[in-house]
Amino acid sequence: MAAEDDGLFALPTPDGTPPGEPVQAYAPLAVRMRPRTLAEVAGQAHLLRAGAPLRRLVEGGEAASVLLHGPPGTGKTTLARLLADVAPRHFVALSALSSGVKELRDVMNDARRRHDRETRQTVLFIDEVHRFSKPQQDALLGAVEDRLVLLVAATTENPSFSVVAPLLSRLLVLQLKPLSGDEIRELLRRAVQDERGLGGAVTLSPEAEDALLRLAAGDARSALTALEASADGVTGTGGTVVDVSAVERAVAETTVRYDRQGDQHHDVVSAFIKSIRGSDPDAALHYLARMLVAGEDPRFIARRLVVHASEDVGLADPTALQAAVAAAQTVQLIGMPEARLALAQATVHLSMAPKSNTVIVGIDEAMADVRAGAVGEIPAHLRYGRYAGARELGNAIGYRYPHRRPEGVLEQQYPPDDLVGTDYYRPTQHGGERVLHERLSKLRRAVRGEGRTGRGEEA
């Protein structure tokens, strides 16, 4: 066995069992059924095919340090456990939840002594690496760069958000995928029959198996945990068949995979907004439900709806912003769970509204011009003129008051000279902007003198 019992550095792996020790009979089913060989690993075929870096690492060949990222229950810890059996490497496991810079330095010093004394490389597995601070992650750089340790880091978060760039650039980033239904099904059936698992004490009905697949959502640990709870409920009453009712009694509600600080948060919110933009109220309600069930702050959702009302609907439906603001006010005044109704109403309203991004395009183009220096002098007749000496400066002289005209509009220059004729707002033919498109054309002709305009009066 690669891991040695040398005191401080014979650290347990993330499930609490030191490498090389047999799993106890009372351990959770998911731990007892942890694959012992590559042949038992379900899923991740894209990473374990012949010649793939991760397979070479597990089989003891040369490989770069790697970062495994993916949802819970996809095999990150399992693959790290398999590394513990690789000789002649020494295996050390740390958890970012309980380790700091001192522990890292101790591991590095021990790895250096072991390398010099025994020419053995140390494999360092760090679970939840995203929980390390920047100084802690920086402390790994030298050892990884010099291959003093072969780092295998694991995270459930998108490493682009949670791992510092210098460390990320030194790692081979490998994404683990949720297990397929067939892969979860294989694990469940193996757990039912295997002596390490339930040893044939129960049978699993096809309907219950399907229910467990839905509950797992690609998470092997979740599937085995739910199976164990269901089986315990059945055997505790003298039964032998795990059916749908047994699963329902054991598992009240599936856990929604959604981390408010991680990439799942960003992915669900992105899908929510894009579904609204794409005019699919059903998909939008689904993602709204995922956020609400997972405990997302309803104020955050309301803010996104308010922004979206102007960004992607705009004046194609002027009531969209009113609906979004009303939902935000409802969240503040009433709170959850009742506020979910207002959020859902606003979500459906925005999804079904005609779409236009002309508001955001217009303001962004105007701001880009300002940042580029296209500001120019404000026309003198538009400047403030109600102070002593203003008239001498030419301020407000020649300003023409639109309300003196029956139409309420007249020819007059409003933008700086360099921006005369620039169109920032360009309405579409969608929804309410169809009317605005026609009206704006007439207004521009009148204001810019491209059509007949009468002589106005000074204010």
Side-chain angles (χ1 to χ4, degrees), residues 32-41 78 82 85 194 196:
R32 302 200 307 270
M33 292 303 301
R34 192 181 300 283
R36 297 163 297 185
T37 65
L38 275 180
E40 293 184 356
V41 175
T78 290
L82 293 176
D85 293 327
D194 198 297
R196 291 180 296 156

Side-chain angles (χ1 to χ4, degrees), residues 24-273:
Q24 300 299 320
Y26 56 78
L29 179 62
V31 174
R32 302 200 307 270
M33 292 303 301
R34 192 181 300 283
R36 297 163 297 185
T37 65
L38 275 180
E40 293 184 356
V41 175
Q44 317 312 328
H46 63 296
L47 300 179
L48 296 174
R49 65 183 184 275
L54 186 57
R55 188 180 188 93
R56 294 202 307 272
L57 177 62
V58 174
E59 292 178 341
E62 291 298 325
S65 292
V66 298
L67 187 148
L68 306 175
H69 79 97
T74 52
K76 298 183 294 296
T77 304
T78 290
L79 292 169
R81 293 276 304 194
L82 293 176
L83 289 172
D85 293 327
V86 176
R89 295 191 181 117
H90 176 68
F91 184 86
V92 179
L94 295 178
S95 172
L97 291 171
S98 56
S99 305
V101 173
K102 179 182 182 301
E103 287 79 8
L104 285 174
R105 287 175 178 165
D106 289 341
V107 171
M108 300 309 171
N109 291 334
D110 180 74
R112 185 173 288 106
R113 289 194 298 269
R114 178 169 285 100
H115 182 271
D116 294 342
R117 186 175 67 244
E118 306 173 18
T119 64
R120 293 178 62 193
Q121 189 176 38
T122 295
V123 174
L124 173 58
F125 174 67
I126 299 181
D127 197 24
E128 304 287 337
V129 69
H130 61 273
R131 296 186 182 274
F132 267 167
S133 65
K134 183 179 184 298
Q136 289 171 315
Q137 293 186 32
D138 286 343
L140 295 165
L141 296 177
V144 173
E145 179 76 24
D146 298 337
R147 290 201 174 181
L148 177 64
V149 298
L150 200 61
L151 176 63
V152 180
T155 175
T156 55
E157 296 193 2
N158 189 324
S160 299
F161 299 143
S162 55
V163 179
V164 297
L167 179 59
L168 198 60
S169 68
R170 290 167 169 80
L171 301 175
L172 180 63
V173 180
L174 303 175
Q175 182 177 11
L176 278 70
K177 300 177 181 179
L179 273 64
S180 69
D182 288 341
E183 291 162 348
I184 294 289
R185 194 184 305 275
E186 176 188 345
L187 292 178
L188 291 173
R189 293 177 178 178
R190 185 190 305 168
V192 169
Q193 297 299 325
D194 198 297
E195 290 300 322
R196 291 180 296 156
L198 302 179
V202 298
T203 57
L204 186 62
S205 75
E207 295 78 13
E209 189 175 80
D210 291 340
L212 290 171
L213 293 181
R214 290 192 298 271
L215 288 167
D219 183 333
R221 186 185 301 111
S222 176
L224 293 173
T225 300
L227 171 62
E228 183 176 30
S230 303
D232 286 347
V234 168
T235 57
T237 58
T240 60
V241 178
V242 176
D243 56 16
V244 172
S245 61
V247 174
E248 291 175 345
R249 287 194 300 270
V251 185
E253 184 177 276
T254 184
T255 300
V256 177
R257 185 179 296 143
Y258 182 90
D259 182 352
R260 286 172 56 185
Q261 302 301 320
D263 58 321
Q264 280 293 317
H265 162 85
H266 296 285
D267 288 345
V268 175
V269 172
S270 176
F272 175 60
I273 293 301

